[in-house]
Amino acid sequence: SSRPTSPMPPSLIRPSSISSRPVEVGPGPESARYLPLPQRAAAALDAAVAALYLKQRTNRASDGQPMQGAHWCAELEGDSILSSEYLLMKVILSQESDPAEVPRLRRIANHLRLTQRRIEPGRGGWGQYPGSPPDVAACVKAYFALKLFGDHPDAPHMKAARDLILSLGGADRCNTFSTFYLACLGQVSWDACPAIPPEIVLLPRWFPFHMDKVAAWTRTMILPLALCSALRPVRQLPQELGIDELFVDKQCKARLNKPWNRQNQFSWGNFFLLCDRALKFAEKHKLSPFRPKALRAAEQWILRRIDPRSTEGLGAIFPPMVYVQIALKALGYDRSEPAIRQAERDLDAFMIDEPSPDPVLDHIRLQPCFSPVWDTGIALYALTEAGLTAASDERIARTCDWLLDRQVTMTGDWLGNLRPQDRSLRLGKDAAAWAFEYRNDWYPDIDDTAMVAKALWRAGDRPGQTKNRDAARLAVRWILAMQNDDGGWAAFDRTKDRPWMEAIPFADHNAMQDPSCADITGRTIESLITCGVPATDPAIARALRYLVSHQQPEGCWWGRWGCNYLYGTWQAMGGLDAAGAVATGRRSHPAATKAIDWLRAVQNADGGFGESANSYLDRSLMGRGPSTASQTAWALTTLLYVLPPTDPAVERAVLWLCDHQLADDKRPFAPSRPLNPDARDPGTHDLAPLDFVYDLAGGWNEHFFTGTGFPRMFYLRYNLYRHYFPVMALARYVRNAGNTTGAPWPQREPIG
């Protein structure tokens, strides 16, 4: 393969690194406000497309690699735990005093200081996303990391953090994945962590719990933790560096902090608590005859999945890439060994260096992973909405080439869950699939594959070629094989919903499994029909039944991978529309009517749409929150499935996007200047301390997190969501409005 062997760390988008070519944002901020709305939207779209192309990457200058094709990969932003867990890992590994490590570790610690909240909610602490309640585990890990790296516990910011942690119940309330760090550093007993026996790797497929039956991300996280659970590594720290002061009940340091359900004695939770006690009893009395075999099997499972020829880190995501370094050291691996050196390189590639002459702002932050295939697939699809194709624009053709070169061609964990008749599928031969990252061949996913397939189909081919659509057709074969029995699709596997798994003590990341979800199912229906599957196909019929049955009483759909009901509703309605189920004759499908009524009800007074991730905590907040560019685009696209472009709800959403488009480049920590000077973005004024990214005129500003990793646990800010989704929505509006400006917008090729 010609693919690079290491990802390109995304850097801040700066004029010197992209282009000196200016972006013309309409006919000027004042005069544009008085154009008819279709003309103004067309001008906004022109500027947004130009700015989106300026964000495209065309080389790998950071590692000296030659040009690898045109693609997009923006910073993927998580919360403070990425910095704190990295620092804690370095202390566990006794690497914090390495002269080569010290300067950057101090700058990572500075990121924690920079992101500590100085205003409500959660003054003095850290949260999962802007506007979230404070998260006790995030606060404990950040406080501990800062203390280990020199911050005195009586410093004002440390005292504020400690007071907040104690008010939230103390370190006693940490989730189990955080407790593992505390155990490795001697702050709690390993008995305070849930038992994860490495013998799980030996269980047969007929057993209720099997590695293939948990989510792909859970597999990669729990097996390194199982090695740690069995080997129990501990680095003892001086007492003055510990965090005894964060515990309310010191007895919690020696026991699993999971309460017994006294109201339902026969609950799954109580059953697994008994299992945990039994496993720890067996561990204490050395009643694990298969332990040596299990340790060897778990080690080999991990080594196969960190081979740099197939992946760029275990699961290519941050948590297992941290755990695996701790697990391999516990197994006796030296830091000089190739497996450890590669693991360090893969994880360190997530760093983003943000130098500043201001010592307060000078820092390094980390990403949870890279998102190049996802970003590129969506950007490509958005540009095809604007009428661009591989035949008409060589930049589109090069983007398709890059995606084709990212096809997964090996067999991963997904094969074992297929129906027997589908297990002969071989990627690169009779099927095609893509992963989210630069290289993660063990774990291609349905969502990325569906996105890339429909984008390639819409882009078409250069004259005389068929490779883009041929690849899309092969993707259809894999996607159909991955459909679940309930008619929906999950992210990484063909699976079943096993709710009892969420009661396992180490399942408090709220994503032990990977069942069907409406957002992926809706996108997948649209992809299949775009790529030629007839709407009458039985697989489509099953998927539509799944979608309709999962609509919420209010008319929306829950969103698994984006915040939240706005995202789920957009994706579900896209599937219904592609299948012709949104409107029959002159009457809309009841599901579509309910969805549009709900969207009208939650549209903000300013015309935009927004929803905080707090809606995962409180259903009454569904569809409620400050307007954002990405969520307004999702809602606008959904409205356009049913409503004419002259509908007031549509026009108000279009106007919001036009008003809030950036008139000038926006620098980190600086307020934005939208085209309409009267438009106020609450993110700019209230959340600017969390805004590290430089953005371009023609794009949009967005501080809120609108992506979801694990609901209620981990959220994301995709720094291109605020750009390519508005391009997609405005392009659809301009086309539906008849393109009254007379600009040369090619019409979209008929789908199917």
Side-chain angles (χ1 to χ4, degrees):
S1 171
S2 63
R3 291 184 292 176
T5 57
S6 61
M8 177 174 62
S11 59
L12 295 178
I13 297 168
R14 302 186 186 282
S16 60
S17 64
I18 46 177
S19 173
S20 59
R21 180 162 58 90
V23 178
E24 295 295 335
V25 186
E30 290 302 323
S31 57
R33 296 173 60 191
Y34 304 104
L35 289 174
L37 188 58
Q39 292 184 30
R40 187 175 177 193
L45 179 58
D46 256 336
V49 168
L52 185 58
Y53 267 125
L54 290 181
K55 294 181 177 182
Q56 193 176 47
R57 300 178 181 275
T58 56
N59 60 49
R60 296 174 59 83
S62 62
D63 57 10
Q65 294 287 335
M67 183 177 291
Q68 297 290 339
H71 70 287
W72 284 266
C73 184
E75 178 182 351
L76 185 57
E77 192 175 332
D79 64 45
S80 64
I81 67 170
L82 302 170
S83 294
S84 58
E85 290 183 359
Y86 186 91
L87 294 174
L88 294 175
M89 176 197 73
K90 286 295 184 180
V91 178
I92 293 168
L93 298 174
S94 300
Q95 296 173 5
E96 79 281 3
S97 299
D98 183 336
E101 301 275 7
V102 169
R104 66 177 180 176
L105 295 181
R106 287 176 176 170
R107 296 177 67 220
I108 294 171
N110 213 29
H111 176 251
L112 288 177
R113 301 181 190 105
L114 184 62
T115 55
Q116 186 177 15
R117 292 177 174 176
R118 304 297 197 272
I119 58 173
E120 298 295 339
R123 187 179 68 83
W126 292 263
Q128 297 168 341
Y129 48 89
S132 75
D135 180 74
V136 65
C139 294
V140 168
K141 287 182 285 191
Y143 177 96
F144 193 14
L146 289 177
K147 188 174 182 181
L148 290 171
F149 281 85
D151 289 23
H152 195 281
D154 291 334
H157 69 288
M158 295 290 279
K159 184 178 184 304
R162 183 169 62 252
D163 291 346
L164 177 64
I165 290 167
L166 293 174
S167 74
L168 295 172
D172 323 41
R173 301 289 300 278
C174 279
N175 57 50
T176 57
F177 284 87
S178 299
T179 306
F180 279 104
Y181 288 93
L182 304 186
C184 285
L185 290 170
Q187 301 308 296
V188 299
S189 161
W190 275 99
D191 286 338
C193 299
I196 310 179
E199 285 81 2
I200 59 177
V201 76
L202 303 175
L203 294 173
R205 282 190 58 84
W206 55 261
F207 198 77
F209 185 94
H210 186 267
M211 292 287 285
D212 286 352
K213 296 176 183 178
V214 299
W217 54 81
T218 299
R219 270 173 242 153
T220 61
M221 289 194 293
I222 65 173
L223 212 53
L225 290 178
L227 290 173
C228 294
S229 179
L231 300 172
R232 298 194 164 198
V234 177
R235 180 185 176 185
Q236 295 293 346
L237 298 172
Q239 186 174 359
E240 63 270 18
L241 292 181
I243 53 169
D244 271 3
E245 68 269 24
L246 298 186
F247 286 88
V248 174
D249 180 0
K250 300 296 191 291
Q251 292 183 349
C252 286
K253 298 178 66 174
R255 66 167 187 257
L256 184 66
N257 191 22
K258 294 282 184 181
W260 186 267
N261 186 341
R262 301 189 180 280
Q263 295 182 338
N264 182 5
Q265 297 285 346
F266 299 100
S267 66
W268 280 113
N270 287 353
F271 171 76
F272 286 117
L273 287 177
L274 290 174
C275 291
D276 185 80
R277 294 174 187 175
L279 289 168
K280 287 172 178 171
F281 179 87
E283 178 84 25
K284 182 178 180 180
H285 293 87
K286 302 188 182 304
L287 302 176
S288 304
F290 297 105
R291 179 58 52 85
K293 181 179 180 181
L295 291 175
R296 289 193 299 271
E299 178 185 4
Q300 290 304 309
W301 190 97
I302 289 171
L303 291 176
R304 286 196 301 274
R305 287 161 179 78
I306 61 172
D307 186 330
R309 293 171 295 181
S310 61
T311 189
E312 290 169 329
L314 183 58
I317 54 176
F318 180 92
M321 291 167 68
V322 169
Y323 303 149
V324 74
Q325 292 191 43
I326 300 170
L328 290 178
K329 182 181 181 183
L331 285 169
Y333 281 69
D334 185 78
R335 192 179 183 187
S336 63
E337 295 190 49
I340 296 289
R341 289 163 54 200
Q342 185 65 45
E344 289 186 2
R345 284 194 297 268
D346 289 336
L347 184 62
D348 291 354
F350 291 157
M351 291 183 183
I352 295 180
D353 193 337
E354 183 69 69
S356 174
D358 184 343
V360 174
L361 300 181
D362 184 55
H363 71 278
I364 292 174
R365 59 186 181 273
L366 289 108
Q367 303 174 92
C369 66
F370 295 118
S371 57
V373 173
W374 184 241
D375 280 340
T376 302
I378 300 174
L380 176 61
Y381 183 86
L383 291 169
T384 67
E385 276 284 81
L388 304 177
T389 67
S392 67
D393 192 317
E394 183 59 22
R395 296 171 299 179
I396 295 290
R398 289 197 300 269
T399 300
C400 294
D401 291 344
W402 188 89
L403 285 170
L404 291 180
D405 197 39
R406 292 303 172 287
Q407 284 188 73
V408 174
T409 58
M410 65 167 275
T411 299
D413 288 356
W414 52 269
L415 187 70
N417 287 320
L418 295 187
R419 303 173 187 87
Q421 64 267 29
D422 292 324
R423 291 179 190 163
S424 61
L425 279 181
R426 292 298 178 265
L427 296 180
K429 295 181 179 179
D430 51 9
W434 283 263
F436 184 82
E437 303 87 354
Y438 282 102
R439 172 167 286 175
N440 188 12
D441 292 355
W442 283 93
Y443 301 108
D445 65 274
I446 292 93
D447 212 8
D448 278 274
T449 300
M451 188 73 246
V452 170
K454 70 177 183 176
L456 289 174
W457 189 278
R458 289 278 299 275
D461 285 281
R462 295 181 178 95
Q465 295 183 353
T466 62
K467 59 182 182 178
N468 294 337
R469 289 193 169 178
D470 288 345
R473 291 186 184 96
L474 291 179
V476 167
R477 180 72 184 89
W478 188 73
I479 290 170
L480 289 174
M482 299 291 282
Q483 188 175 24
N484 293 332
D485 290 341
D486 61 10
W489 279 270
F492 287 92
D493 287 288
R494 184 177 178 275
T495 61
K496 295 181 180 179
D497 190 5
R498 301 176 176 90
W500 57 268
M501 281 191 177
E502 303 301 336
I504 295 174
F506 52 82
D508 57 4
H509 60 306
N510 294 322
M512 188 69 178
Q513 50 173 349
D514 179 21
S516 297
C517 57
D519 42 354
I520 293 179
T521 300
R523 172 180 284 119
T524 303
I525 293 171
E526 181 185 356
S527 179
L528 292 173
I529 293 175
T530 298
C531 297
V533 176
T536 55
D537 189 279
I540 301 295
R542 292 196 300 273
L544 291 174
R545 286 195 294 272
Y546 172 87
L547 280 185
V548 172
S549 68
H550 283 74
Q551 188 175 27
Q552 301 289 311
E554 293 84 353
C556 52
W557 280 266
W558 183 77
R560 167 61 182 85
W561 295 100
C563 298
N564 169 359
Y565 295 95
L566 287 173
Y567 184 85
T569 301
W570 164 56
Q571 296 283 32
M573 285 286 285
L576 293 174
D577 176 69
V582 165
T584 304
R586 295 185 178 181
R587 299 186 60 187
S588 293
H589 189 284
T593 300
K594 288 178 66 177
I596 296 301
D597 289 345
W598 177 78
L599 278 177
R600 288 187 189 276
V602 299
Q603 188 170 20
N604 288 331
D606 62 9
F609 291 82
E611 180 176 5
S612 165
N614 290 334
S615 62
Y616 287 104
L617 305 172
D618 182 354
R619 284 186 84 258
S620 70
L621 300 176
M622 59 171 56
R624 304 290 183 182
S627 298
T628 68
S630 60
Q631 291 169 320
T632 299
W634 301 340
L636 173 58
T637 303
T638 308
L639 292 171
L640 288 169
Y641 290 138
V642 177
L643 302 177
T646 54
D647 186 273
V650 170
E651 291 190 332
R652 291 171 62 221
V654 173
L655 187 60
W656 191 95
L657 289 175
C658 292
D659 279 348
H660 288 79
Q661 190 175 32
L662 293 177
D664 297 314
D665 289 358
K666 184 204 170 298
R667 298 186 178 277
F669 310 106
S672 63
R673 190 172 79 87
L675 280 175
N676 182 350
D678 298 327
R680 184 181 186 276
D681 172 15
T684 296
H685 299 276
D686 303 336
L687 300 166
L690 299 179
D691 180 36
F692 304 114
V693 180
Y694 190 107
D695 218 327
L696 299 176
W700 284 263
N701 190 30
E702 183 170 293
H703 294 281
F704 293 95
F705 283 33
T706 60
T708 306
F710 302 144
R712 302 187 176 206
M713 188 76 176
F714 187 72
Y715 299 90
L716 300 161
R717 179 165 79 145
Y718 291 82
N719 278 289
L720 276 174
Y721 271 22
R722 62 181 179 268
H723 199 143
Y724 47 50
F725 286 128
V727 167
M728 191 184 302
L730 287 175
R732 185 171 292 243
Y733 168 78
V734 168
R735 187 175 63 249
N736 287 6
N739 188 21
T740 58
T741 64
W745 288 102
Q747 293 297 306
R748 182 177 65 175
E749 182 178 355
I751 290 178

